[in-house]
Amino acid sequence: MNNINGNGFESYNDRQNHINIAELLFVKWAEEKNYKINRIGFDEKNNSVNDFFKLNPILRNLPDFVISKDDKCFIINVKGTANIKKKEYDLIPKFIECFSSDKCPLIYAFCFQNKTPIFKKANDIIKLFENSTDKIWNDGVIYRNIYLK
């Protein structure tokens, strides 16, 4: 195991042997900012679900956290790369419908070592994806690397 973080070119099973550094970085950031943090999504590293891939795609893609502070509340989907799979992009409108509200929006938090998280609204992810070009991993999965700045 050379890279404790894993990468998108490994199989799903191989990636599960690594830590989820993005989620750890996000939790650290949220704690430093005094947000209350609740995990709502699956923890595939420490508490995997048998037959996970048999679940409905919306359930499989639950956001990771709810954070709140004062009168602010956010649903957070943590990402450790700027790569968005086409099949996730296709589901984003449903994610917005299922998980987001005016008072507690769905936000993507891109977390990288030694950097402040980059936050994007779910609708912004759609636009960023549309401005990128398709790439294909060795397993045939189509994705796009979105420009976050």
Side-chain angles (χ1 to χ4, degrees), residues 1-7 10 14-15 17-19 113:
M1 185 174 10
N2 295 342
N3 179 355
I4 64 167
N5 302 320
N7 67 64
E10 295 177 312
D14 289 341
R15 289 192 313 269
N17 292 323
H18 305 292
I19 62 172
Q113 287 188 345

Side-chain angles (χ1 to χ4, degrees), residues 3-149:
N3 179 355
I4 64 167
N5 302 320
N7 67 64
F9 294 100
E10 295 177 312
S11 72
Y12 176 81
N13 287 334
D14 289 341
R15 289 192 313 269
Q16 300 323 303
N17 292 323
H18 305 292
I19 62 172
N20 192 329
I21 191 69
E23 287 186 7
L24 294 175
L25 291 169
F26 177 78
V27 168
K28 180 179 182 226
W29 173 87
E31 287 174 344
E32 288 173 356
K33 300 294 181 187
N34 295 315
Y35 278 93
K36 181 178 190 284
I37 308 161
N38 295 97
R39 173 174 276 289
I40 57 172
F42 294 105
D43 183 352
E44 74 277 8
K45 306 290 186 188
N46 300 307
N47 192 17
S48 64
V49 174
N50 291 344
D51 298 320
F52 179 77
F53 289 101
K54 293 179 182 177
L55 300 177
N56 179 288
I58 297 296
L59 187 57
R60 283 195 320 256
N61 286 279
L62 283 174
D64 300 298
F65 302 99
V66 174
I67 62 169
S68 58
K69 177 175 149 181
D70 302 324
D71 63 343
K72 298 176 184 168
C73 177
F74 302 96
I75 304 295
I76 305 293
N77 194 356
V78 176
K79 296 288 184 183
T81 75
N83 296 328
I84 304 292
K85 295 176 189 173
K86 170 87 167 69
K87 60 186 175 182
E88 179 176 354
Y89 160 79
D90 290 341
L91 289 168
I92 293 175
K94 288 184 181 181
F95 296 162
I96 294 169
E97 180 183 347
C98 293
F99 307 132
S100 196
S101 72
D102 291 339
K103 294 184 179 183
C104 192
L106 174 62
I107 303 292
Y108 281 68
F110 294 87
C111 299
F112 309 106
Q113 287 188 345
N114 303 315
K115 296 186 188 242
T116 300
I118 299 169
F119 296 98
K120 298 289 180 185
K121 294 178 182 176
N123 281 324
D124 293 335
I125 299 300
I126 293 171
K127 292 174 192 167
L128 291 168
F129 188 92
E130 291 171 351
N131 290 327
S132 300
T133 56
D134 285 353
K135 297 180 181 183
I136 301 176
W137 278 308
N138 58 359
D139 61 359
V141 172
I142 298 170
Y143 73 99
R144 292 184 183 185
N145 184 271
I146 61 171
Y147 183 69
L148 294 173
K149 300 288 173 171

